[in-house]
Amino acid sequence: MENLSLEQKQQQFNEFFSIQHGISANFTLWLADRPLPDYQSFVANMPYAFKVATEVASLELNALRPLRALGEHAQQLMDFLNHQSRKIDLIMSFVLHQQDDDSARFTTESFGGGGVVLKSDRAMEIGRTGELKLFLTDEAAAVYCLAEVIGCEAKDDIHHITLIYRHIREEDQDLLVKASLHLQSKQLKARAAERRQNGENA
């Protein structure tokens, strides 16, 4: 990506689905002369809590999936495992909350598999890189990655900062894609229910 033009980076950002939704994020800009590490160094030095969070989310999903094929005979076991999963989610949420830095906190305008758009009260220089943390409350998960500023647009005293992921693990990118699609499904269901409600009241 080092040799990509700004336009090519924007195209890469747009290759992935993104959804307008606000989630909590931390973004810490590095000094302008700090080089981007290679991918292996990035993975080796990422905070352990984020490694564990993604692995736990994956294990829970894979553990429950086979039971769905057993039908009603597995319902009690499913209920038990869902309760255990909820306990783990609460613990993980607490652990991940400790990683949230008030001084570096932003809210996203949108997010997806290619990058995020942050709402900021200050502009950021295009081309700068830094550490990005994304907190997915509904999934009791969080993602740690390195990102680059590829856009900065002022809208009503708020700057929309477009970030593209520079280093992100594949499993974390998959998690963001699934989370965005899950939110889209919930939004569509809510709109359909609202339309039905309005039709009944008409």
Side-chain angles (χ1 to χ4, degrees):
M1 188 184 289
E2 289 288 347
N3 298 321
L4 295 182
S5 67
L6 186 60
E7 182 180 359
Q8 288 173 318
K9 291 175 182 177
Q10 187 66 56
Q11 290 173 349
Q12 185 171 313
F13 176 93
N14 293 333
E15 286 176 1
F16 288 85
F17 170 77
S18 63
I19 186 169
Q20 280 196 316
H21 188 76
I23 61 172
S24 182
N26 288 172
F27 184 54
T28 306
L29 278 172
W30 285 346
L31 295 175
D33 59 352
R34 178 172 176 176
L36 190 76
D38 61 33
Y39 180 77
Q40 289 73 23
S41 297
F42 153 71
V43 173
N45 291 297
M46 70 183 297
Y48 184 67
F50 291 90
K51 294 181 181 180
V52 172
T54 306
E55 187 173 350
V56 167
S58 177
L59 286 172
E60 287 181 353
L61 180 63
N62 292 331
L64 293 175
R65 185 183 291 123
L67 294 177
R68 296 191 179 99
L70 300 178
E72 61 183 41
H73 301 292
Q75 188 57 51
Q76 288 184 332
L77 180 56
M78 284 279 289
D79 291 341
F80 171 77
L81 290 177
N82 279 323
H83 286 306
Q84 298 303 308
S85 176
R86 180 58 182 157
K87 288 181 181 179
I88 294 171
D89 286 349
L90 290 171
I91 294 170
M92 285 308 306
S93 294
F94 174 77
V95 171
L96 293 170
H97 181 73
Q98 311 307 308
Q99 301 292 324
D100 188 3
D101 181 358
D102 291 351
S103 65
R105 185 180 297 157
F106 298 89
T107 300
T108 63
E109 170 68 18
S110 63
F111 78 93
V116 301
V117 178
L118 301 179
K119 292 187 288 188
S120 173
D121 58 3
R122 64 185 185 276
M124 294 188 193
E125 182 183 350
I126 291 175
R128 296 285 297 278
T129 57
E131 295 179 343
L132 176 65
K133 302 174 185 177
L134 299 172
F135 298 94
L136 302 165
T137 305
D138 290 345
E139 284 74 21
V143 169
Y144 174 88
C145 58
L146 303 183
E148 177 186 343
V149 179
I150 63 168
C152 179
E153 183 180 1
K155 295 183 178 179
D156 299 326
D157 297 327
I158 295 294
H159 293 86
H160 287 193
I161 312 297
T162 303
L163 303 177
I164 191 171
Y165 308 132
R166 289 298 307 271
H167 285 328
I168 184 170
R169 296 188 305 167
E170 184 177 350
E171 54 266 45
D172 290 326
Q173 194 167 33
D174 288 344
L175 177 62
L176 289 168
V177 170
K178 290 173 183 175
S180 62
L181 292 174
H182 181 231
L183 281 167
Q184 183 194 40
S185 176
K186 289 175 65 175
Q187 289 180 1
L188 292 174
K189 289 178 181 178
R191 289 172 191 163
E194 185 179 355
R195 284 196 297 269
R196 287 195 300 269
Q197 184 67 32
N198 291 337
E200 292 172 0
N201 294 334

